Amino acid sequence: MADTGRVIDLSVEVIGDVETVWRAVATGPGISSWYVPHTIEEKAGGAATASFGPEPEMQIAGRVAAWEPPHRVLFDGGEGVDGLTFEWTIEPHDDNTCTVSLHNAGFGVDDPQYEAMIDGWKLFMANLGLHLEHFAGQAATSALPMVMWPVSPDEGWAILTGGLGIDEMPEVGDRLEVAADDVAKLAGTVIDTAPRRITLLVDEPAPGTAFLTSEDGGGFTMVSVWLYLYGPDGAAAAERDDPRWRAWLAEQAPPAQSP
């Protein structure tokens, strides 16, 4: 694939020494705690797999193209494989913080996922910051249910928040508790909001973080309830509640629109 010059460059300042931040950015348990489940062979040329869902086609194989602990790691699709590359660099500072930077390249000229990935990476890098601030050294188990609806993002957000019985735009610091019947327990403190997004520091069903979102997927809307839960109780809750959230989201699906 020819280099189009189309890239995503983002950075975030996080709490932690360089070794702690490296483990969060470059190892399977670390990345799984704020992004999607990963398995990684921790060496140059090692295999890497990202799991975006339970289906076999959602298991994305890759490679550790560069491994330079504790400052730089590069993931790609493998030797001779065209596609996206993900380069992470860590710059430590004297005040127990680090700047984590992402250089995501390999996009085609009209790649439909480009804009959505910018928004997605902003969310995940914010979650990296929360992981290191509140749960450094721990590993989360994720539950990442998502549905795709043929509605606008605003309509998707109204369906999601209405079904859960919560405000569309709560205040930071508010206590949020899901009030819907037949859905898994979810409660915590609102720590950030944006149009069609709520970020929570969760205490039920276990300590962790959560994101409720409705995002433009280019012709459809992606509605998500993503949870990152810590400890043995968190692992049990994630395994128990993931299928319950998937079933509930499927039940909320709007009627198919006529051509």
Side-chain angles (χ1 to χ4, degrees):
M1 180 184 294
D3 183 5
T4 65
R6 206 175 194 198
V7 300
I8 297 173
D9 283 308
L10 296 170
S11 62
V12 62
E13 186 166 313
V14 299
I15 297 171
D17 62 83
V18 67
E19 295 288 350
T20 299
V21 176
W22 170 259
R23 288 192 293 274
V25 169
T27 71
I31 298 173
S32 301
S33 296
W34 56 271
Y35 182 29
V36 300
H38 273 63
T39 58
I40 294 171
E41 286 186 291
E42 299 177 12
K43 62 180 182 178
T49 302
S51 177
F52 289 87
E55 300 82 7
E57 63 271 19
M58 300 298 282
Q59 315 311 306
I60 309 302
R63 176 185 65 160
V64 181
W67 179 263
E68 302 170 11
H71 296 292
R72 176 177 177 263
V73 63
L74 172 65
F75 300 104
D76 66 10
E79 182 70 30
V81 177
D82 288 335
L84 298 180
T85 62
F86 308 87
E87 180 180 24
W88 296 91
T89 57
I90 304 168
E91 178 187 359
H93 307 299
D94 293 335
D95 58 351
N96 195 45
T97 65
C98 293
T99 298
V100 177
S101 299
L102 166 69
H103 180 72
N104 184 188
F107 293 95
V109 174
D110 299 314
D111 197 320
Q113 61 183 332
Y114 178 74
E115 296 294 339
M117 285 188 70
I118 294 174
D119 290 338
W121 276 126
K122 289 178 180 178
L123 183 151
F124 290 123
M125 292 177 78
N127 199 30
L128 169 62
L130 293 175
H131 166 68
L132 288 163
E133 180 180 359
H134 297 282
F135 304 102
Q138 302 181 54
T141 304
S142 59
L144 308 175
M146 181 189 72
V147 290
M148 300 180 184
W149 290 340
V151 298
S152 72
D154 286 340
E155 290 170 327
W157 188 239
I159 293 169
L160 176 64
T161 54
L164 294 177
I166 61 176
D167 290 339
E168 289 194 23
M169 184 68 82
E171 296 291 331
V172 172
D174 282 356
R175 173 76 177 173
L176 184 148
E177 297 186 10
V178 166
D181 294 330
D182 301 322
V183 69
K185 180 68 174 178
L186 178 62
T189 301
V190 177
I191 57 173
D192 191 27
T193 61
R196 304 184 306 278
R197 189 180 79 227
I198 298 172
T199 303
L200 295 171
L201 192 60
V202 174
D203 51 61
E204 293 187 60
T209 60
F211 299 87
L212 313 180
T213 69
S214 177
E215 304 170 275
D216 186 356
F220 55 87
T221 290
M222 301 180 294
V223 176
S224 308
V225 180
W226 283 17
L227 311 175
Y228 299 82
L229 304 175
Y230 291 83
D233 290 344
E239 181 178 2
R240 178 193 68 225
D241 293 347
D242 186 277
R244 296 177 64 187
W245 278 112
R246 292 179 187 275
W248 183 84
L249 285 169
E251 291 169 2
Q252 309 309 304
Q257 298 178 347
S258 300

